[in-house]
Amino acid sequence: MPVPVLMLALGFAFLLAGCDGVESLLPYDEAVDPPSAESSAMLAAVNALRAEERQCGSERFAPAPPLVWNGRLHSAADAHTDDMASHDHFDHIGTDGSTVGDRVSREGYEWSRVGENIARGQQTIDEVVADWAESAGHCANLMNPSFAEFGAAEQEFYWTQVFGRPR
């Protein structure tokens, strides 16, 4: 290898050694650890619920595989939560007319299936997850084995969970 190419390669390797880690080199939508303790707690609560058989209204669900955190789904959840909190608006349709599919697509998530749970007023993760587990439709999203990835957000006691399966 010529000396200038070798020096360039060594310099690049040195710069990489100073990075925060391999995660910073991965595409944004790769499955990574949640960005905060609250996000980790939400994911853990949802996966604990999915680990057990559950009745959701009239539908019985077998245990479902654990979900993995997805940054793009988190961004979609965060944007919708911010929209709801900023506009005192509580609906699956955003103030701009967007659906969960629109919001997820805006974040660059290429999906084959998406779902969303929203809530308002609960003070803790345990409280909001328990309320969702008692609601047939929300519970069905929580237990749906078709979903593989997950993101969530909370702001001013507005809560959003976004579930997805990539293409």
Side-chain angles (χ1 to χ4, degrees), residues 78-126:
D78 191 51
H80 190 54
T81 302
D82 181 59
D83 179 44
M84 291 191 297
S86 296
H87 296 97
D88 193 24
H89 173 80
F90 183 67
D91 200 309
H92 288 284
I93 304 300
T95 58
D96 64 355
S98 64
T99 65
V100 63
D102 297 329
R103 293 186 291 273
V104 166
S105 293
R106 276 186 209 150
E107 296 299 329
Y109 186 80
E110 296 182 11
W111 56 276
S112 61
R113 182 177 191 99
V114 293
E116 177 180 75
N117 285 345
I118 61 173
R120 169 175 62 183
Q122 294 82 359
Q123 304 285 309
T124 67
I125 290 170
D126 289 341

Side-chain angles (χ1 to χ4, degrees), residues 54-68:
R54 184 162 306 280
Q55 186 77 30
C56 298
S58 62
E59 193 171 358
R60 190 113 188 108
F61 285 86
L67 298 170
V68 296

Side-chain angles (χ1 to χ4, degrees), residues 12-62:
F12 184 67
F14 178 74
L15 286 174
L16 282 179
C19 290
D20 290 337
V22 176
E23 299 85 27
S24 64
L25 301 175
L26 295 173
Y28 187 62
D29 62 343
E30 290 292 327
V32 296
D33 290 334
S36 69
E38 183 177 69
S39 298
S40 293
M42 176 65 81
L43 181 61
V46 169
N47 282 335
L49 195 106
R50 288 171 65 88
E52 298 180 10
E53 185 176 301
R54 184 162 306 280
Q55 186 77 30
C56 298
S58 62
E59 193 171 358
R60 190 113 188 108
F61 285 86

Side-chain angles (χ1 to χ4, degrees), residues 142-156:
L142 288 163
M143 294 302 296
N144 190 327
S146 296
F147 293 133
E149 299 178 331
F150 176 78
E154 180 274 330
Q155 181 180 330
E156 298 174 25

